[in-house]
Structure formats: C-alpha cells, structure tokens
Amino acid sequence: MEIRETPFQPNIKFDRTGFQDEQLLTFYKALLKPRLIEEKMLVLLRQGKISKWFSGIGQEAISIGVTLSLDKDEYILPMHRNLGVFTAREIPLFRLFSQWQGKASGFTKGRDRSFHFGTQEFKIVGMISHLGPQLGVADGIALAHRLQKEQKITAVYTGEGGTSEGDFHEALNIASVWQLPVLFCVENNGYGLSTPTSEQFNCEHIADRALGYGMEAHIIDGNNILEVYEKISHLAESMRKNPRPVLVEFKTFRMRGHEEASGTKYVPNELMEEWAKKDPVDNFKEFLLAENILSEDLDSSFKSEIKKEIDEDLKKANAEPFIDFDETKELNDVYKDFVYEEVNHSEETEELRFIDAISGGLRQSMQRHENLILMGQDIAEYGGVFKITENFVQEFGRERVRNTPICESGIVETAMGLSIKGMKAMVEMQFADFVSSGFNPVVNYLAKVNYRWNQNADVVIRMPCGAGVGAGPFHSQTNEAWFTKTPGLKVVYPAFPYDAKGLLNTAINDPNPVLFFEHKALYRSIRQQVPKDYYSLPLGKAALLKEGDDITVISFGAAVHWALETLETHPEIKADLLDLRSLQPLDTEAIFSSVKKTGKVIILQEDSLFGGLGSDIAAMIAENCFEFLDAPVMRVASLETPIPFSKALEEGYLPKKRFEDKILELLKY
C-alpha cells in the first residue's frame, strides 16, 4: 500500500461485518461508474452537446445501495439524481447517451429528455416533471404484485421537496390502507432547488410523517453505501414476506445545483465544505484502502476500465444520426395500437335503463377480463353513489372491486401502475367534476406515456356528469372539452343504453386511456332494448338517428335527446341528426358527409360555448365543407356561467329552448 504524508480521515463509519472483499469492490465499482459518467456529462454540457443535467454527485450511495438490494425483476421508480439506478441495472451506456442527446437509440426517441423515461426491459419507470405522480404509480405496481401473488416490492424515489406535494400524502395513505409493499425512498438533500428544508416542512425529520399514516419509517445515512445496502436488503426481504409500505429518509446533500444552470450560490460555503468531507465515493475508497482491499493501482484500473466504456459508448451514440421528423410516425405513436374486435350479440334483448346497461357492460367485462380491477369511492359494498357496482363484491371479491380513500390523483396514478404490470383498471370518479382533483396524472401521465416511452395506460375513467338534476356547480359539469384537446386520451359520451354498454366494453378492451362520460340525467330516465349478452361497438363512429335534407344537427350526450324532442315538436324539419357517441376519436367522415348533403349545420352541446367541442367541429366544417354551406355554421350551448342549483336558473342555463329558436332561425337563412 502507498504511504501518504497526510492520510485521509474518513468522515463516515463503515461496518464491513458480513461483507466479503469482492462484494465491497463491487460496491466501489458501482459507485465509481455514475460518478465518472457525471464528470463526463458536465464536460459535454459545457460543450453544448447535451441540453440539461441534474447532478447526483454526492448521492450515489443511495441509488446504488437500493438498486443492488432489490431483485432485478422488481420495479424502481427513480428521480433526476438517480443515475446509479440505471447503471446498476446495467443499461448499455450508449443507450443512455443516446437518450440524453435525443437520438433514436434513446428510450424516448427524442420525445423527452434527461431521465424522463421508463423501460420494461430493466424494470425502471421514469418520473415526469410534476414529481408526485410516480409515487401513486408505485402503489399500482405494488398492488399488481399483491393481486398476482408475487412476493415482490416496488421502490420509488422522491426528494424532500416532493414530500410537500399532495401526491406524496395520497400515495402513502393508499399504500398504508391497502398494505402495499412499496419502499418510499426520500432523498433529503437539503434543498428543493434553492429552498432549504427549513422552509419546506416543520417536522424534525421527514420520516416523522409516516406515523400519521400508520407506517414504518427509518432514517439512513444516505452517503454510507454499506448502511444503505444492509438496511434496505433487510427491509426488502421483510417486506416480501410481510407486505407493507415503508418510508425511508436518506440524509444526504446535493453538491451541485438543482440543475447545472442554477448553481449553488444560495448554499453557505461552510455547509458545502462540511458535506464535501462526507463524499460517498471518496470516503468508501479510503475505507477500502485502509482495509487493504483496494490499492491505488487497482483503483486506477477500475477507473480506466469505466472511462474506456464511457468513451466507446459515447462514440457509438455520437455516430448515430439525429432523428428526422416523420409526421405519420409521430401521430401513430400517440396511442398504442388497438385492433377493434367486433363482438356481435344474439337477438335476445331486455329493456334496460341507461344505468343498468352500464352496470351490465361493466359486469360482463369483469367476467371477460380477469385482470380488470375496479377502483372508486364507495363502489364496493355500497355499490357506488349511483349503485352501478351494486353486488359486484359478492361476485368478484374485494380485491377486484376496491373502495378507495378520497384521493382522485393517487387512484388515477395507481391505475397507471396496474397498467405497467399488465393489468386493466377502471376508475369511477364519483362525479365528473371531481376529476379536477386528479387532473394532472390524467393529462400529463396517462395521456403522454405511450408517446414518450411506448408504455400504454390501460385505464378507463368513468365520468358521471351533466346538469338537469339540480346538483349545482360542483356535481353537474360536462367537462369533456378538458380532455378532447389532450392528445393521447380517448373520450366517449353515449346517449342511449345500447351504445353505453357496447362502447364501455370496447373502452375496456382498448389498451389506451379512455374518459367515459355518463350523463346522470339519463341514468334512470332513458330505456331501450339492449342485448343480454356481451357485445362491442367501435369507437369513432357516429350514429345517424334521423335523416333529412334540410339541415344537419350534431350533438352528443343528453343534448341528443333535447334535439330529438325539438325535431319531434317540428315534424316539418327534415334533418340529419348525428349522435357523435365518440368525441375522440371523432367521426369526421360522417360529419362532413351530412353537411355536404344538407348545406346547413347546427351543433348542440351542453357545455358552455367558448372552448367547447362544438367550436372545433364548426372550424373543421368551415375548413373542409365551406363550398357546400348555404348558411353560417351555428353553435348552441349553455350560458357562460357556472351551473346553478335552482330549477328555474338551471333551465335558463341549459340550451334546450335556445336550440329550438336557433334551428328555426337557421332554416330561414
């Protein structure tokens, strides 16, 4: 061993009891790899060859220790500063370099940057910039493990800043209530961007929060690779045998800025100096040298080997051309491929209310798909507030029909996690209005995930919606326009029992996220003969309810029935009446064909006018059918106010009477 004049004094106490020399060297090499990659990336960042970098220097022991503690088929959901997760899972470096440069061999094909990706091959699920949703996704993966009788755990990371988000609290609560084997790893590195922990939470330790959720918690020195590995290994083994969530707070520090552009001027120099002495790589190296396990020559050999791999793989990634824009491919990758399978029904029918048709379709889909899980508030023994899942628990059991806490965001995320593990999920929003509490994971996770890294979201969200029942501003919205403009989501809005059952079955078959709107006023007021057995109907096909040459009426949901009533009141009006049924995908062929025939068109929607779907349909007609029009395209919608409660006000708000006036006016044009 080399004798030094001023020997390094380790600031971390390592206990090597139970560790063999070879294992300790494996840990050291694993720590070195992300450190050396980072040093290279910082050079490339200054050269403008990568666009952004979130440094994990000083935190490597957490990523390496946790990853090596888990089985390779156990999922890990990392954050920005967890490069060690990716290297410890032995992802080829050229693929990481390609990802960071936006090249074809990257995991997102240039569609997302940095660590915003996942890979089923390596059982890693990357984060999105909104940080919190991955915690609930981990719940879903862990739930799937439990349902599939697998003794596996799921590890998910967040920073101390992320623990202030509602998703953190929802995910911990769900995991605790359902006893899900999730290892919640909080990297407390002192700062959320520039905001110190003293301005983020008022408890002494983040681990203290576990008590409120009835959860086990531990505090670990995040810079001590041996402590991390040993304690997480024991916890993981215990959690596999006795499934439960565990919160682990890793005390560590971020030695560089939140990302490189932000710098570290806001950090006191003495604090930087104090934590620099606790560097996880340097301290472990000195420990190994002192124990005669590592020599300077062997250390140099390790570094040369890793640097050679970095250089070779970087050269391979650099040789790859940048991705060319292909409009067809971009559009095709927004949704997972779905080949519609038409299932025809027998002639035997029964008269069903709208609500019964939905319940029947859901029951038959549960029978058809053993991997379908239903989740929602009060949907188990109570049967949901509208009784659609009444008696489902007796037939399918509480594991598949699950009451949830009141946490819409966390449950949507849990559904996403189930999809990652190959299961199907149906989430019932008690009222469509409440989806606003789960809006982020719907539009930013479910909608974008297939486009970003080829992972579908096999989730149906049922949306009881609509006015006309005196439910007021928070239980009456028909908010389909929030979602029809979001690429990656499908939106279905039936008006009749027959359509509701067949379209719901298809929505559940479809591996893409579907928002399924059900108008509450139709639940018990509309009846129709509906096939008794299972059948499907295609998405994106409108229904032509009436035919005529005078005018085209386009509508969906309860407004279809208002249009029917108006046309029956005025038999002199010979109209094509199109019930869209599916809003995304939209049957533009049926719309254009009818408009070209009649020359006049009126669009009726329950949603308020500005920004509603009718506005887009009107614009599409103007662009594609202008020369066939004999009059301006007309739109009729509800008032530009929230939905009022009292009957008189609600009737004035809704557009039914105004529709009658407008269609008569248009016919005279």
Side-chain angles (χ1 to χ4, degrees), residues 39 53 66 105 108 210 223 231 260 264 310 455 555 650 655:
E39 290 174 356
W53 189 257
V66 171
S105 292
T108 64
N223 287 24
K231 290 188 176 180
E260 286 305 305
T264 58
I310 291 171
Q455 170 60 59
S555 192
E650 190 176 45

Side-chain angles (χ1 to χ4, degrees), residues 352-366 383 386-392 396 462 500-501 504-505 518 523:
L352 293 180
R353 299 173 299 175
F354 191 88
I355 194 168
D356 300 323
I358 292 171
S359 180
L362 196 56
R363 174 177 278 105
Q364 290 177 352
S365 287
M366 286 286 281
F386 298 106
K387 302 300 181 184
I388 284 176
T389 53
E390 192 168 29
N391 299 320
F392 275 40
F396 303 109
R462 289 185 38 251
K501 180 177 177 180
L504 179 59
N505 289 336
E518 307 164 4
Y523 271 159

Side-chain angles (χ1 to χ4, degrees), residues 146-167:
R146 292 215 65 174
L147 294 173
Q148 294 166 1
K149 312 300 181 188
E150 297 170 341
Q151 291 185 308
K152 297 292 179 184
I153 74 166
T154 302
V156 59
Y157 287 86
T158 191
E160 82 292 329
T163 66
S164 294
E165 290 196 303
D167 301 81

Side-chain angles (χ1 to χ4, degrees), residues 11-59:
N11 286 275
I12 298 174
K13 293 183 179 180
F14 296 101
D15 181 0
R16 64 159 298 176
T17 305
F19 293 103
Q20 301 299 314
D21 290 0
E22 197 60 39
Q23 188 177 20
L24 296 174
L25 289 174
T26 298
F27 290 160
Y28 180 61
K29 287 178 69 177
L31 287 172
L32 267 182
K33 196 167 189 176
R35 174 65 62 89
L36 294 176
I37 291 171
E38 286 225 42
E39 290 174 356
K40 186 70 170 182
M41 291 305 108
L42 293 176
V43 172
L44 295 181
L45 182 69
R46 289 192 291 271
Q47 294 174 346
K49 294 181 179 178
I50 57 174
S51 65
K52 211 171 186 68
W53 189 257
F54 297 87
S55 177
I57 288 176
Q59 299 183 205

